[in-house]
Amino acid sequence: MTRTSAPVDAPGTGAWEGLVTTALLGTDRRTPPGTAPGQDAPVALLDAAAVETVRRRAGLRPARAAQRPRPAPADGRPPLPAAAARRLAMLLVDRPGASAGGRRGTAPDLMELLPQWLAAANARGFAPPPQVLPALLDAARGRTDLRPAALEFAGPRALWLARLNPDWRFALRSAPGGGAAPPPVADDDRTRQVWQEGLFAERVALLSALRSGDPAAARELLATTWATERAEDRLMFLDSLRTGLGPDDEPFLEQALSDRSRNVRATAAELLSALPGSALAARMAVRAAACVAIDHTRGSGAAGTAPTPTIVVEAPHECDPDMERDGVVPKAPAGRGERSWWFGQLVEAAPLGTWSRRLGGRTPREIVALPVADDWQGELHAAWCRAAVRQGDAEWSRALLGQPSAPEAGGPGAVSLAERAKLLGTLGAAERAEWVAGFIAAHGLSEAFQLLGVCAVPWAPPLGRAVVDALNIARDAGSYPWSFSGVMGLAERCLDPSESGRLDALLAVPDEPEDASPGAGGYWAEAFQRLVTTLRLRAAMIEELGPAKSTAPA
């Protein structure tokens, strides 16, 4: 039996403290007991400390043995190939901390490759070698973006370790219920028990699992305790209804519009507005349509000028209680006018099909092309952007995005780059990449960073070529190299490894134009060398892991 020990409360316990005090003061000022001052005093102090150390170690009495932890659960997944296991150990050792965008040198940033390695290993269903789990948990502890993939790869043994080390408790919080699987959907008794008695994380996990398999059962379970839940819990539970959201959820969400919590009411209204056939969406459509009309007389006063159909806006003059109940926030943020604030919320929540009926049967592209009077274009288009993202409407997203080569796409316009990035998320991966490639070809990389962030990885060939060509143009122009370090870092992680062969011609130090930044040529050469090395390393990583089980489209 394993035993731990506790110190004996024996006489002379203060002797050690006395020796420590003597050592701190020095034997010239204080000598050990029974020792005369002089050159023998330091030796006597060390002898006394040695004796006291042995006495303290020996003077221990047995304590009650701690209960041994249960063995770690088995992991039934196949083990990593040997080469991939060595690669993982290498990636985990190289942990310099946060990657610096402007770093120098040609060596790849291995820690930045770890997320891709984990994604590839998870796609192939491998289990980690047990000895790397501590380092993997340490890496995930320092990077929250790494945790989902790291914990999926680490498997059940990571949760077993997390219960033994407080530094890894984040793994228990990240895995709902501390890794406890929700009960089977068919087990009604166990489901009710967990819902009524479980921890909050367990209840969230249960509701999410039910919602994925049986949305109606999840909603009915939530309704049984809805009135007694705390406001913050009601908000989290209500958010789970986004999964499988459908018309059958409308009665429950309509009731939530009268909730005593403003945040709950706002979330219920947002979910209802994502259902174009809901009563709330119809109410919002009536309100929004009353604010927008076509004026066919604009431009008719000038000689030889035909009337130009123009959208005119008359924003609401008040936010009445019915509007507030339907999710309109009455108080505008600082710097925003109340009327424009209310108007934007109405348009955002109205079904996008409202506008073709209201504006003469025009298509989304034709509607977006219409001029808007009195500087309302920015507010109106921004609200349409939010509606298109909320309702997942690809046709409206295309209309609002416009052509990537349009002049306004490269700078301030009715639709900002942040809004364009969200609109791109409603399109398929191939269409997204094609649009961003066209944007880069027309406007360069200076405004493309956030657009590149929504593109599927690895980048499609047209997008990869557009990025490399734009980097090459910036290099030849002697542009300030550090301003492109963010895009270069993205390219290291997202460019298809097969593109490495096209970069060999860019590895030499270029001739620097007279107006180039000092040392720019050397920086560009290093950056391209690092990019090539990283791409080849990524190709080797994938080869070591072997083919994926299945290839699902991004």
Side-chain angles (χ1 to χ4, degrees):
M1 176 182 293
T2 303
R3 291 184 178 273
T4 58
S5 301
V8 178
D9 295 329
T13 300
W16 178 257
E17 285 75 9
L19 293 173
V20 171
T21 302
T22 300
L24 291 172
L25 294 175
T27 54
D28 291 339
R29 298 177 60 186
R30 176 174 174 171
T31 57
T35 304
Q39 61 182 3
D40 293 335
V43 176
L45 174 64
L46 294 176
D47 289 343
V51 171
E52 183 64 19
T53 297
V54 172
R55 191 199 71 79
R56 285 165 59 86
R57 290 176 177 174
L60 299 175
R61 58 190 176 192
R64 184 178 298 277
Q67 183 177 3
R68 290 184 177 180
R70 295 179 180 178
D75 193 330
R77 296 173 294 176
L80 278 174
R86 290 192 295 270
R87 180 73 65 189
L88 174 60
M90 183 187 305
L91 295 175
L92 290 171
V93 166
D94 186 76
R95 291 170 51 206
S99 176
R103 61 194 175 91
R104 298 299 300 267
T106 60
D109 186 348
L110 299 185
M111 193 59 184
E112 287 303 312
L113 294 179
L114 183 58
Q116 290 192 27
W117 189 97
L118 289 170
N122 286 334
R124 290 156 176 78
F126 287 124
Q131 64 270 21
V132 306
L133 287 176
L136 185 61
L137 286 168
D138 282 340
R141 179 191 178 198
R143 286 183 56 176
T144 55
D145 64 307
L146 201 63
R147 290 180 184 178
L151 294 178
E152 179 184 350
F153 177 66
R157 290 175 174 172
L159 300 175
W160 181 85
L161 284 172
R163 294 186 179 94
L164 303 177
N165 186 343
D167 289 343
W168 299 331
R169 290 294 171 88
F170 70 87
L172 302 179
R173 295 190 298 270
S174 301
V185 174
D187 191 346
D188 293 336
D189 293 339
R190 175 61 178 153
T191 294
R192 283 193 294 270
Q193 181 183 6
V194 172
W195 182 249
Q196 294 171 3
E197 303 175 9
L199 300 174
F200 176 71
E202 293 174 325
R203 300 178 74 206
V204 171
L206 171 63
L207 194 64
S208 299
L210 281 175
R211 189 67 184 175
S212 298
D214 189 345
R219 185 182 62 250
E220 292 167 4
L221 183 67
L222 178 58
T224 62
T225 60
W226 177 259
T228 60
E229 303 287 357
R230 300 184 305 167
E232 54 268 35
D233 293 350
R234 292 199 305 277
L235 182 62
M236 290 292 293
F237 293 144
L238 191 64
D239 199 61
S240 69
L241 299 188
R242 296 181 191 275
T243 301
L245 182 66
D248 291 342
D249 297 315
E250 183 178 357
F252 182 85
L253 294 173
E254 274 284 344
Q255 292 181 358
L257 289 176
S258 301
D259 195 90
R260 55 187 179 274
S261 166
R262 185 180 66 181
N263 291 333
V264 172
R265 294 196 303 270
T267 300
E270 179 188 348
L271 293 173
L272 283 167
S273 68
L275 296 172
S278 68
L280 179 138
R283 295 192 295 269
M284 288 300 198
V286 171
R287 295 175 181 131
C291 298
V292 178
I294 289 284
D295 184 349
H296 292 280
T297 65
R298 296 274 171 157
S300 60
T305 303
T308 303
T310 302
I311 294 177
V312 291
V313 171
E314 179 65 28
H317 291 271
E318 65 173 345
C319 180
D320 59 44
D322 288 339
M323 288 170 58
E324 190 171 350
R325 180 183 180 274
D326 283 347
V328 177
V329 179
K331 185 175 178 56
R336 287 288 302 275
E338 284 186 333
R339 295 182 64 198
S340 65
W341 171 245
W342 300 331
F343 172 72
Q345 293 179 78
L346 295 181
V347 173
E348 177 183 357
L352 287 164
T354 301
W355 304 111
S356 180
R357 297 188 297 270
R358 175 63 173 162
L359 303 177
R362 291 176 171 87
T363 65
R365 195 176 297 275
E366 292 169 340
I367 292 171
V368 171
L370 289 172
V372 184
D374 302 326
D375 297 324
W376 280 102
Q377 179 173 320
E379 187 69 52
L380 180 60
H381 284 204
W384 279 338
C385 283
R386 297 192 297 272
V389 172
R390 180 183 295 187
Q391 298 172 34
D393 194 307
E395 185 180 7
W396 268 90
S397 293
R398 294 186 191 101
L400 291 160
L401 281 166
Q403 294 299 317
S405 59
E408 66 272 10
V415 179
S416 69
L417 285 167
E419 289 165 339
R420 290 175 189 270
K422 294 177 182 178
L423 291 170
L424 285 167
T426 67
L427 307 180
E431 188 175 359
R432 234 179 301 163
E434 182 182 0
W435 196 95
V436 177
F439 178 94
I440 293 171
H443 306 287
L445 291 167
S446 59
E447 302 290 345
F449 186 81
Q450 55 189 322
L451 302 180
L452 287 168
V454 301
C455 293
V457 177
W459 288 336
L463 178 57
R465 287 193 292 270
V467 171
V468 172
D469 290 344
L471 288 170
N472 189 22
I473 291 171
R475 165 184 177 269
D476 290 344
S479 300
Y480 192 66
W482 292 273
S483 62
F484 294 92
S485 58
V487 174
M488 189 66 80
L490 270 181
E492 292 176 23
R493 298 189 293 274
C494 304
L495 198 62
D496 194 307
S498 63
E499 295 287 322
S500 62
R502 298 182 61 243
L503 299 168
D504 289 339
L506 305 178
L507 301 182
V509 178
D511 296 330
E512 296 184 2
E514 293 182 1
D515 58 346
S517 303
Y523 176 91
W524 282 112
E526 285 184 1
F528 279 117
Q529 179 64 66
R530 183 171 62 246
L531 177 57
V532 170
T533 305
T534 302
L535 293 178
R536 290 174 178 164
L537 179 56
R538 285 173 52 206
M541 285 166 33
I542 299 302
E543 184 177 355
E544 291 163 356
L545 286 165
K549 288 184 175 179
S550 61
T551 54

